[in-house]
Amino acid sequence: MPITLVTGPANAGKAEVVLDGVRRAMAHGRDPWLVVPTRVDAEHYLRELAGEHAAIGVRVGPFDALVDELVVRSGVSGQALGELSRELLAASVGSAERGPGFVQALCALFADLRVRRITPARLSRALTAALGDDAAAVLGYDLGGLYARYDRLLERLGRRDAEQRAMLALDRVREAPALWRDTPVLFYGFDDLTALQLDAIETLGRVVEADVTVSLAYEPGRTAFAGRASTFQALLPLAREHRELAPRSEHYAPAARGPLAHLERRLFEPGGERRAAAGAVRLLRGGDERDELRLVADRARALIDSGLAAHEIAVIVRRPARSAELVREVFGAAQVPFALERRRTLGDTAVGRALAGLLRCVPADGEQGGTAGDLLAWLRCPGLLRQSERADRLEAECRRRGVTDAAGARALWMEHNWELEKLDELARAQARGAASLLELAGRELSRLFGAPRAGRAAVLAASELDEARALAAGRSALAELRELARAAPEAVPGSARELAVVLARVAIYSGERPGPGAVAVVDPLALRARRVRALFVTGLMEGEFPQPARPEPLLGEGERARIAESSGVVLGGFEDPLAVERYLFYALASRPEELLFLSWHEADDEGEPASRSLFVDDVCDLFEPSLELSVEGTAGGEGVLGTLAAGSPARPVQGLSDPTVLAGLRGRMWSASSLEKWVGCPVRWFVERLLAPGAFEPDPEPLARGGLAHAALNDTFARLREETGSARPTPATLPRARALLDEALAHNEAQHELSVTLERRVATRRRLRADLARYLEYAAGLETALEPAELELGFGFSGEDESGEATELPAFDLGDGVLLRGRIDRIDVSESGDAVIVDYKSSSAPPVAKWLPDGRLQVALYMRAAEGLLARRVAAGIYQPLSGRKLRPRGAIVRDAELGLDAAATDLLETDELEAILDEAIAAARTAASEAARGELEPRPATCGFGGTGCAYPTICRCER
């Protein structure tokens, strides 16, 4: 029973003992196996052995590589069932309707049952003994029956799952130990061992009698190792020799040896003296996750600049897949070279997203296939369209017309482009069966990958590697599905839409493995067998590190205990989660040789407070109070909004300086609304009027309603004048005016679609018709002789008739070379020739007292323009509401003018008062135009958004809302 168990705390020299064993085996001509936790660890130790000229003959790899060697030597034939096939088989035995989470939990349970050599019959008996004859009713599913049906499917398929294959290889080696010969096996870096790993150790060491060395981080009586006691007790009876190593501190750098060794020896232990951290342990506190990572990146950059090699630094991130993009952004901005490998899904890549979108667009069983977004995901695959803006135009058209399904989007596409025959081709393949569909899907995957690379023999850039991995993973998955379809067609997706769901979940590994020249950004389990000079442990908040206990999804802890008591069948899942987390943190704290940074953030993305992990308090308890007083980063309690002040100062939006742009602004023809937009906020004007990005969304309903109201009233008054000689409604002409309004609404609605939703469109049309009819009735009841003389009067727009005469008035000069153009909704004229400017408002109208304070210049500017262009006295300018409780207009009215308006007393002004207001409006307009000509983009968040809602574009002007 030549098993040697080597135990001791972290940094006790276990690696030295194991590597000495490797060298000793090689010196005797025996090629050993060194088994380490990860492939990155394998590469690290292979490089170390190569530096000693001792790498030839030794095999270094993770445990699954050892299993592959056992399979080869034992003569077990056939490939193991893939992860995808296993999930599909598990789903097909009756659990697909419970969702992918249940299926994955079922696969994990089946794997555990295999390793523990528990058959379906034994599981059923154990469930009956523990839960009674109605075990299936208690659980809500027949677990024993599911396991039995899964087993029968595997037999029919003629395949073995990975655990079944490994156990068969171990059984054959047990029966014929000579198959393994005398190859030594050494395990290093494992802080815990699975049931399968323990079985392999026992088989090779106790049955085969090969030399097996197992190192385990363990020290009796230490709180940090409480979660590893069961593994130690399982190994101890198997060991011929147990070597307990004493703690050593020479692995630490001399300057950091005292505090880091003290941390390793005393972490989680009660009492003891508090020592100085001496800069070896440091605390970082961020406002939110971005701010925390920025602090980490800045410190890492400083270490590199001071001479530390990047690969001697590691950053622990609890969930790299979740934080990958943020790490990429923050570390890239800080110019920190890093390597981050994470698990992604095929659906996260460009080719995978495109293929899944295409497959979802294929109709099945009389149902329309997919959404407009699915079709766009396919069309947007890089290289598929020579003019990618065609997809942008399609999306804009879909949004503006309210098209949400793939069939409607396809119809819009074909209005201006070519047929999309690939959808029909896939539909025909789907009708022929799974084999045809899978074959065509594979060809389409290759076509999508090759589209941007057609005609080139270029080496893939680093940014393209994920697409290549996606191609390989997709091909492998489709090949697996084709093989599964031959033996178990019921387990294979039967439609293109189902196939899309399966393929989108296929896993790929993205990014780069840690190596020379890059800071390793890894999860906590990836740094168990190596040391680094500087280590950052991030995300130290309660609920994140330590993580809370996760209940077993199928059989709870109580049910597993009852099964063990009543039948002797012991299943996994009995670990104390806090003990596991304590050991994990201890292992990380022991990895750095010189510097340990512990970091956390105080608020999540929504600004909700986050609590610092108690593990940080456990560390602080070991050191003098100066450690906690020297926390670097943002002040406590600032949260998300404090990160702008705490981090790099936000760079405010800069003014315009390009000569061509400024020249265009100096000669710009201004509209009243554009000037009002500038007065409200120049940055908002810059985005909406100068950049003027095309809208992806349909016009907002208030805007569409206002446009239709203007057009309908203009047509109604024009037709009324043609028929009766007067555009003003009266009690006698009101019925005809209402009829003309209905015709005008019907005629203009196509150009002003009220809503993309039919129900809202009908309701909005009905409400608008009622509001306009009410306004006509209000206008007809006024005792006034005002006659609508001009409808939609334009000025400053270029336009000529067939004779070359201008069809509209010229622009109006506001002075200082500022030209104004616009379109006045209506100009009414009194019997004395006085003009009234009327501007329609969908809702309440502002009184004259609020015009200038609120930056409302339009009616004032139109009054001046009408005076200058029409040579009329303008006696009033009003905003006319078209809905609301009161229809009384508000504005500026000359007191002595006889207009018959339903005016408020506060709107009546003396002539000199009105002139002063108009002069101020003209001056404000000129000031705005001159600021624009100088390119002065000043953020004005207080007046930017509608109704005082604050900055409309905070990411551009860097202003808080």
Side-chain angles (χ1 to χ4, degrees):
M1 189 172 62
I3 297 178
T4 300
L5 176 61
V6 181
T7 64
N11 301 321
K14 296 186 293 298
E16 183 178 330
V17 172
V18 171
L19 290 179
D20 282 346
V22 170
R23 299 182 189 101
R24 190 165 49 251
M26 294 181 65
H28 288 83
R30 302 162 68 196
D31 296 339
W33 256 98
L34 175 60
V35 185
V36 291
T38 70
R39 296 189 184 277
V40 174
D41 296 329
E43 293 168 2
H44 171 79
Y45 283 102
L46 198 56
R47 283 195 300 269
E48 183 173 328
L49 290 168
E52 302 172 1
H53 306 288
I56 297 176
V58 65
R59 281 156 294 184
V60 185
F63 179 72
D64 57 3
L66 177 67
V67 170
D68 290 339
E69 181 74 10
L70 283 163
V71 167
V72 171
R73 294 197 187 187
S74 64
V76 174
S77 59
Q79 292 291 320
L81 187 72
E83 184 178 338
L84 176 61
S85 294
R86 180 199 289 239
E87 288 190 7
L88 290 173
L89 288 179
S92 71
V93 299
S95 56
E97 68 279 359
R98 296 180 182 271
F102 182 87
V103 172
Q104 290 167 4
L106 196 63
C107 289
L109 179 60
F110 289 168
D112 186 48
L113 293 169
R114 290 281 192 228
V115 172
R116 299 177 189 278
R117 291 181 165 81
I118 299 171
T119 64
R122 188 181 176 196
L123 176 64
S124 295
R125 290 195 299 270
L127 291 170
T128 300
L131 305 176
D133 294 334
D134 59 346
V138 172
L139 295 175
Y141 42 82
D142 181 6
L143 193 55
L146 294 177
Y147 189 22
R149 289 197 292 276
Y150 169 77
D151 237 16
R152 289 194 294 272
L153 269 178
L154 275 181
E155 291 178 11
R156 197 173 87 196
L157 190 61
R159 295 285 292 276
R160 302 180 184 92
D161 57 30
E163 291 74 24
Q164 198 175 24
R165 177 170 168 263
M167 299 307 293
L168 179 58
L170 287 172
D171 288 345
R172 288 190 180 179
V173 170
R174 282 174 179 266
E175 294 168 359
L179 292 173
W180 187 252
R181 297 183 291 277
D182 61 347
T183 305
V185 182
L186 302 99
F187 287 78
Y188 174 70
F190 293 89
D191 49 38
D192 200 11
L193 295 165
T194 66
L196 180 58
Q197 289 166 344
L198 288 170
D199 197 321
I201 290 168
E202 182 178 6
T203 298
L204 295 175
R206 193 170 187 177
V207 179
V208 177
E209 296 191 343
D211 287 334
V212 176
T213 300
V214 182
S215 75
L216 182 71
Y218 181 74
E219 192 174 12
R222 289 281 302 275
T223 302
F225 296 99
R228 297 295 169 255
S230 60
T231 301
F232 171 74
Q233 294 300 332
L235 283 169
L236 188 61
L238 303 178
R240 177 187 60 189
E241 178 185 1
H242 177 205
R243 297 182 60 182
E244 294 184 81
L245 303 182
R248 294 161 57 181
S249 61
E250 61 265 28
H251 297 293
Y252 298 112
R257 187 168 297 160
L260 291 182
H262 177 63
L263 173 61
E264 186 277 319
R265 298 310 305 149
R266 300 303 307 167
L267 184 61
F268 300 128
E269 297 302 311
E273 64 175 324
R274 301 180 72 166
R275 297 186 180 180
V281 180
R282 302 180 187 178
L283 307 180
L284 304 177
R285 173 180 56 209
D288 60 2
E289 185 180 9
R290 176 185 294 277
D291 190 40
E292 179 191 353
L293 288 175
R294 183 192 59 76
L295 290 168
V296 170
D298 288 347
R299 301 309 182 274
R301 180 69 258 174
L303 291 175
I304 295 171
D305 291 341
S306 68
L308 203 65
H311 63 269
E312 295 178 313
I313 304 171
V315 176
I316 300 298
V317 178
R318 194 70 205 245
R319 287 176 283 185
R322 189 199 66 180
S323 303
E325 294 307 319
L326 188 56
V327 169
R328 192 178 309 280
E329 179 183 339
V330 173
F331 278 48
Q335 297 183 329
V336 176
F338 71 95
L340 189 160
E341 188 178 39
R342 58 177 171 135
R343 183 172 169 133
R344 298 175 64 189
T345 61
L346 184 63
D348 286 338
T349 64
V351 293
R353 187 163 48 249
L355 180 63
L358 172 63
L359 292 171
R360 283 193 290 265
C361 289
V362 179
D365 301 327
E367 296 181 0
Q368 292 295 328
T371 66
D374 294 327
L375 187 70
L376 285 162
W378 172 49
L379 293 174
R380 283 210 167 98
C381 184
L384 190 64
L385 299 178
R386 290 185 179 179
Q387 297 174 312
S388 58
E389 59 270 19
R390 290 178 182 269
D392 296 335
R393 286 197 292 269
L394 175 63
E395 181 176 4
E397 192 70 12
C398 287
R399 288 176 178 266
R400 295 187 68 82
R401 295 197 191 182
V403 173
T404 59
D405 62 290
R410 182 183 183 186
L412 287 179
W413 170 268
M414 291 189 297
E415 287 181 8
H416 306 289
N417 301 288
W418 55 89
E419 289 279 349
L420 298 175
E421 297 93 346
K422 187 61 64 178
L423 293 170
D424 300 324
E425 189 178 348
L426 280 165
R428 291 191 293 270
Q430 177 181 257
R432 289 194 297 271
S436 294
L437 178 61
L438 293 169
E439 182 67 31
L440 184 55
R443 292 204 302 269
E444 185 60 20
L445 177 64
S446 298
R447 188 175 79 91
L448 291 170
F449 176 78
R453 303 167 182 88
R456 296 193 294 122
V459 177
L460 292 179
S463 59
E464 297 177 289
L465 293 179
D466 274 5
E467 299 304 306
R469 296 179 182 118
L471 174 66
R475 282 178 168 174
S476 176
L478 288 166
E480 200 175 332
L481 289 172
R482 284 194 293 270
E483 182 180 355
L484 191 61
R486 287 192 288 271
E490 70 276 17
V492 176
S495 69
R497 181 180 299 186
E498 293 170 350
L499 177 60
V501 173
V502 170
L503 290 178
R505 294 205 307 263
V506 170
I508 66 168
Y509 284 91
S510 168
E512 299 297 326
R513 288 183 186 173
V519 172
V521 181
V522 294
D523 69 72
L525 294 176
L527 202 72
R528 293 175 288 177
R530 292 175 291 126
R531 283 189 289 269
V532 292
R533 290 179 65 185
L535 178 69
F536 295 83
V537 184
T538 70
L540 288 169
M541 288 89 60
E542 289 299 312
E544 189 74 16
F545 206 147
Q547 287 185 342
R550 295 181 178 178
E552 290 291 336
L554 296 183
L555 294 171
E557 185 177 339
E559 292 164 333
R560 290 176 185 239
R562 288 168 62 186
I563 290 171
E565 291 170 1
S566 58
S567 65
V569 172
V570 179
L571 303 175
F574 287 100
E575 288 186 318
D576 177 359
L578 182 57
V580 172
E581 292 288 285
R582 279 201 189 105
Y583 174 78
L584 187 57
F585 183 72
Y586 162 83
L588 293 174
S590 68
R591 293 298 85 197
E593 298 173 348
E594 295 181 21
L595 286 168
L596 173 64
F597 291 85
L598 306 177
S599 72
W600 66 94
H601 54 266
E602 297 195 321
D604 59 20
D605 291 341
E606 285 73 40
E608 294 297 323
S611 299
R612 186 178 80 176
S613 172
L614 292 177
F615 287 172
V616 179
D617 295 308
D618 289 322
V619 172
C620 291
D621 288 344
L622 302 176
F623 297 101
E624 294 175 353
S626 57
L627 172 63
E628 192 155 14
L629 294 174
S630 62
V631 177
E632 303 172 55
T634 50
E638 289 186 354
V640 174
L641 294 181
T643 60
L644 280 176
S648 301
R651 184 170 180 261
V653 66
Q654 302 297 297
L656 301 175
S657 57
D658 184 89
T660 304
V661 173
L662 293 177
L665 291 176
R666 285 192 291 270
R668 183 182 181 86
M669 183 87 72
W670 288 89
S671 68
S673 62
S674 188
L675 288 166
E676 286 184 342
K677 188 78 71 178
W678 181 280
V679 171
C681 180
V683 176
R684 184 169 184 177
W685 174 90
F686 168 72
V687 174
E688 297 180 3
R689 296 303 175 97
L690 188 61
L691 296 181
F696 272 85
E697 303 293 343
D699 289 337
E701 289 185 13
L703 183 61
R705 173 190 163 101
L708 180 55
H710 282 59
L713 286 177
N714 180 63
D715 287 359
T716 299
F717 291 143
R719 290 278 306 280
L720 189 62
R721 181 162 53 198
E722 290 175 6
E723 295 184 11
T724 67
S726 173
R728 181 172 66 86
T730 65
T733 61
L734 180 59
R736 182 55 185 160
R738 287 172 174 163
L740 292 173
L741 174 65
D742 291 339
E743 294 175 13
L745 286 170
H747 175 73
N748 288 284
E749 187 176 357
Q751 287 75 45
H752 303 275
E753 191 168 15
L754 294 174
S755 176
V756 296
T757 304
L758 177 61
E759 295 80 2
R760 288 192 59 83
R761 186 160 62 242
V762 172
T764 304
R765 183 196 305 121
R766 186 181 299 117
R767 187 165 57 250
L768 177 60
R769 196 269 175 196
D771 286 342
L772 295 183
R774 176 169 166 252
Y775 169 66
L776 291 178
E777 184 177 355
Y778 167 80
L782 293 174
E783 296 181 1
T784 178
L786 288 174
E787 174 65 31
E790 302 287 349
L791 304 172
E792 296 289 331
L793 176 67
F795 61 95
F797 297 96
S798 59
E800 297 179 347
D801 59 19
E802 295 178 357
S803 64
E805 294 292 328
T807 57
E808 290 183 325
L809 297 171
F812 179 65
D813 191 344
L814 295 176
D816 297 337
V818 180
L819 298 178
L820 180 72
R821 69 179 179 186
R823 198 170 295 279
I824 304 173
D825 291 344
R826 206 175 85 206
I827 300 179
D828 293 355
V829 178
S830 69
E831 292 179 344
S832 63
D834 289 341
V836 177
I837 304 300
V838 180
D839 190 79
Y840 299 131
K841 296 291 291 182
S842 296
S843 56
S844 61
V848 67
K850 289 190 175 183
W851 283 10
L852 296 176
D854 291 352
R856 295 181 182 273
L857 308 178
Q858 183 161 291
V859 167
L861 297 180
Y862 284 174
M863 292 173 72
R864 276 284 192 247
E867 283 181 341
L869 296 174
L870 299 178
R872 285 183 180 274
R873 179 198 183 208
V874 177
I878 60 173
Y879 288 100
Q880 174 61 61
L882 300 177
S883 64
R885 189 169 60 89
K886 292 183 178 181
L887 296 182
R888 168 186 283 181
R890 300 302 305 271
I893 305 169
V894 175
R895 190 181 302 275
D896 61 2
E898 297 180 0
L899 304 175
L901 289 171
D902 180 18
T906 54
D907 292 337
L908 299 177
L909 305 173
E910 299 299 333
T911 301
D912 57 345
E913 291 178 314
L914 176 60
E915 290 297 319
I917 290 174
L918 299 186
D919 288 344
E920 285 188 60
I922 295 294
R926 286 203 297 259
T927 298
S930 63
E931 289 173 349
R934 295 191 297 271
E936 297 175 357
L937 292 185
E938 175 197 357
R940 297 172 185 169
T943 55
C944 179
F946 178 77
T949 54
C951 181
Y953 300 100
T955 57
I956 294 177
C957 69
R958 301 294 193 269
C959 285
E960 294 180 13
R961 287 184 178 274

